[in-house]
Amino acid sequence: MDAESRPYPPALIATAVALPVVLVVAVLVAAVLARRLPVEREPLALGPVPAPAAEGEACTKLLPALPADLGEFTKSTLVEPAPPATRAWQRPEGGNAIVLRCGLDRPLEFHRASPLQIVDGVQWFEVRDDSAETSTWFAVDRETYIALTVPDGSGPTPLQEVSDTITANLPAKELDPGPLPN
């Protein structure tokens, strides 16, 4: 028999069949494991806003008490230098963040005729931003003003959990709305 007509050894045939199968299985397993690994989010950059009471007692007491998670949002790292008395949370895959700022001035839009919503004992005033698809809720019945900006579709959980934390840590006070606009 010449070299071209000899049959291939069974071990070589088995290897030729098994190797591609093993490679396909390895790629599938690697893909499944990669999807389960936590995604490392980039630190979140936030611009400064005037917060004259950010170093005050109310913010100093509130910030450490805030939860690490707000529903499906987890605490984000902020780019340094971070604005004072600010916290943020994002979904694990990223996207628009929930941002809490403490120690703010009274919002200009908040006046005696402003509609308020009470959530777990906290009176909130909403300022809607349709272009950014967010709402900023201001807690208006505490020693300082606290703003919670939430993206559309984040549900009620973030506002409820922050309200619970505010109620547990900061006593309510009389409202101090601005005058009615002309």
Side-chain angles (χ1 to χ4, degrees):
M1 239 185 215
D2 62 14
E4 289 184 24
S5 64
R6 255 188 274 159
Y8 291 107
L12 182 61
I13 294 172
T15 302
V17 170
L19 188 59
V21 170
V22 168
L23 287 174
V24 167
V25 169
V27 168
L28 291 174
V29 167
V32 168
L33 291 177
R35 290 189 71 164
R36 291 185 182 173
L37 291 176
V39 177
E40 185 69 28
R41 294 185 308 227
E42 291 289 323
L44 188 63
L46 296 175
V49 298
E55 304 296 329
E57 183 181 339
C59 296
T60 303
K61 189 172 183 180
L62 177 66
L63 293 177
L66 290 167
D69 298 333
L70 293 177
E72 60 188 20
F73 291 76
T74 58
K75 188 175 179 183
S76 293
T77 303
L78 299 178
V79 171
E80 293 297 333
T86 301
R87 294 291 182 273
W89 299 262
Q90 283 182 297
R91 289 185 171 103
E93 66 275 6
N96 291 336
I98 294 174
V99 177
L100 180 135
R101 296 178 187 265
C102 186
L104 305 176
D105 286 324
R106 178 179 59 219
L108 295 175
E109 303 89 344
F110 179 54
H111 52 77
R112 291 182 300 188
S114 295
L116 300 177
Q117 291 190 20
I118 299 174
V119 178
D120 298 334
V122 177
Q123 294 187 60
W124 293 95
F125 167 64
E126 180 186 16
V127 176
R128 177 95 185 109
D129 185 347
D130 290 323
S131 63
E133 298 180 346
T134 62
S135 288
T136 298
W137 295 85
F138 290 89
V140 295
D141 63 345
R142 304 299 148 150
E143 175 184 329
T144 191
Y145 291 96
I146 302 160
L148 185 68
T149 302
V150 294
D152 289 355
S154 54
T157 302
L159 194 61
Q160 290 169 336
E161 290 185 6
V162 170
S163 294
D164 289 342
T165 306
I166 290 171
T167 300
N169 291 279
L170 303 177
K173 72 166 194 78
E174 283 289 318
L175 295 178
D176 182 26
L180 288 173
N182 292 335

